[in-house]
Amino acid sequence: MFVSLVKKIGLKLSLNDPRWGSKGDSDGSDNKHAQEGKKPGDGPPDLEQIWRDFNARLNAFMGQKKNRPDGGPGPGSGGGGMRPDMKGAGVAASVAGAVAFVIWLASGAFTVQEGQAGVVLTFGKYSHTTLPGFNLRWPAPFQSHEIVNVSQVRTVEVGYRSSVNNKQLKEALMLTEDENIIDIQFAVQYTLNDAVKWLFTNRDQEDAVRQVAETAIREIVGRSKMDFVLYEGREKVAFDVQKLMQEVLDRYVLGVQITNVTMQGVQPPEQVQGAFDDAVKAGQDRERLKNEGEAYANDVVPKARGAAFRLLEEAQAYRSLVTENAVGNASRFQQVLVEYQKAPGVTRDRMYLETMQQVFTSASKVMIDAKSGSNLLYLPLDKLMAQSAASDVKTAQPVQPSTAALPEVTEPRRDSRSRDTSRDRESR
């Protein structure tokens, strides 16, 4: 606005102005230069003359009558000649004040990008939170604002800075439950869920998050074994640290949401690295031998259990067999006893014949005693059985049959003594 006004009144402040050159001006500036012994155009411009020219042109723009050198009092005359200059200066001051006021009001406008939050303060006290977009507030010193990026993923490093080689031993060295020292470097990533809490709850927010992370990792490591932290429990340690950090930060009302905890490096101190490697190798050998022993036990024990189970089953089967045979024999004896009581003689002869049949089935030779003439009759049953088997083979094959000399079998003579013996047996 002020610039457009200056352009309209034709104000030209340039070193190439003709009034600063060799030409003279209307108020006798050439004579003045001559009196001072200076040539026109030498030296700096006359600031008083510039100010008078500015007032004259401003008065002409505002519609006032311009004083000319040949009529009326000029700009340098006494009396009321100073009124136009003072009035023009007042107008210029008013215009400048208006421009300054507009600029002051415009300083209260601000823009909040997407993913950010604008916090407006009134005399340093929280007033309200603005949404993304164009916003207005009262200019300073009445109100001020703070823009907080709530969507940015922030990172806090514990135990190192920028690189794992740049270690911070004061933060990295920790004591485990089994009283071993361990070196840990990890990073915590987080976002903001409340811009007001982030700005006003704590003074140094990032340092507070780092201290909470260091406290949480020391507590989790202090409750764990060294081997657990180094090997199989790294992910579990990171998860527990994230959970504990979130609980502590919520109690601190810091407005922080932990998104991830990454373990960058977990190792023993460098001073004992060699001894630790030896201990690890010994532990690996122990586990290997243990696994071999378990494999051998898994191979032998099932076989032994199977053999024991088989013997147990065989013993039980044998016991069942003997028991059932005994029960069967007892039952058979009871049945025979009942039949014997009904007909003793018939039962006795039947039992005798069955017994002899069982005996002769397993014998290949039979000796018969003829009581009449005391002649011993011999029956070669084995040869008879072999001869009958040979005859069966020959009949199966188309060959000429051959006659074999069979021993003569004489029938025993029955005498009176044998008849008496059979009668006695029947009577019994």
Side-chain angles (χ1 to χ4, degrees), residues 154-422:
R154 306 165 187 260
T155 303
V156 170
E157 299 168 345
V158 179
Y160 72 103
R161 297 293 183 270
S162 302
S163 176
V164 293
N165 295 326
N166 186 13
K167 295 181 180 180
Q168 303 293 322
L169 296 179
K170 186 177 180 181
E171 300 176 357
L173 295 179
M174 304 177 188
L175 191 65
T176 60
E177 183 182 8
D178 51 358
E179 298 181 357
N180 288 318
I181 299 176
I182 194 171
D183 188 356
I184 297 180
Q185 298 89 30
F186 69 100
V188 178
Q189 295 179 344
Y190 64 95
T191 57
L192 305 182
N193 53 18
D194 194 326
V196 178
K197 295 178 180 178
W198 175 257
L199 289 176
F200 300 107
T201 305
N202 291 275
R203 178 175 299 177
D204 192 350
Q205 296 88 348
E206 292 186 359
D207 187 63
V209 174
R210 181 179 289 105
Q211 291 180 5
V212 170
E214 184 178 352
T215 303
I217 191 67
R218 289 186 183 278
E219 179 175 351
I220 299 301
V221 171
R223 296 183 302 185
S224 304
K225 301 290 185 180
M226 183 176 184
D227 293 338
F228 179 79
V229 178
L230 287 175
Y231 302 111
E232 68 272 12
R234 298 181 64 172
E235 296 181 358
K236 181 66 167 53
V237 170
F239 177 77
D240 293 342
V241 169
Q242 179 177 352
K243 183 179 179 181
L244 183 58
M245 282 189 62
Q246 190 63 56
E247 294 177 357
V248 176
L249 291 173
D250 291 341
R251 291 200 301 267
Y252 286 174
V253 197
L254 197 58
V256 172
Q257 179 66 40
I258 304 298
T259 59
N260 189 24
V261 175
T262 305
M263 307 298 291
Q264 300 293 343
V266 181
Q267 60 185 8
E270 296 180 356
Q271 294 81 357
V272 295
Q273 185 68 40
F276 181 80
D277 293 339
D278 295 338
V280 170
K281 291 180 181 179
Q284 293 176 354
D285 294 338
R286 180 189 63 186
E287 293 297 328
R288 179 177 56 80
L289 295 176
K290 182 180 178 181
N291 294 333
E292 291 178 356
E294 291 179 353
Y296 178 74
N298 295 332
D299 182 40
V300 173
V301 172
K303 291 181 180 180
R305 289 178 179 175
F309 182 76
R310 179 176 58 82
L311 293 176
L312 181 62
E313 292 295 329
E314 290 178 355
Q316 292 178 354
Y318 178 74
R319 181 186 65 182
S320 300
L321 177 63
V322 173
T323 303
E324 295 298 330
N325 287 335
V327 173
N329 292 332
S331 177
R332 184 172 61 83
F333 182 78
Q334 292 293 336
Q335 295 175 2
V336 171
L337 178 62
V338 173
E339 296 298 332
Y340 179 78
Q341 291 175 354
K342 292 180 181 179
V346 176
T347 304
R348 188 167 50 249
D349 291 343
R350 182 179 177 181
M351 292 176 61
Y352 175 78
L353 294 176
E354 290 178 353
T355 303
M356 295 304 295
Q357 183 179 359
Q358 292 179 359
V359 172
F360 288 154
T361 54
S362 60
S364 60
K365 297 179 182 180
V366 178
M367 306 297 293
I368 300 176
D369 185 12
K371 294 182 179 181
S372 60
S374 297
N375 295 328
L376 185 61
L377 183 63
Y378 168 67
L379 293 177
L381 296 180
D382 53 348
K383 295 183 178 181
L384 292 176
M385 294 173 61
Q387 185 177 1
S388 103
S391 63
D392 293 339
V393 173
K394 289 180 180 180
T395 55
Q397 297 179 356
V399 295
Q400 295 181 358
S402 60
T403 59
L406 296 177
E408 183 180 358
V409 179
T410 59
E411 183 180 359
R413 291 177 298 177
R414 300 180 178 270
D415 53 0
S416 60
R417 185 178 179 180
S418 62
R419 287 193 296 271
D420 294 339
T421 304
S422 61

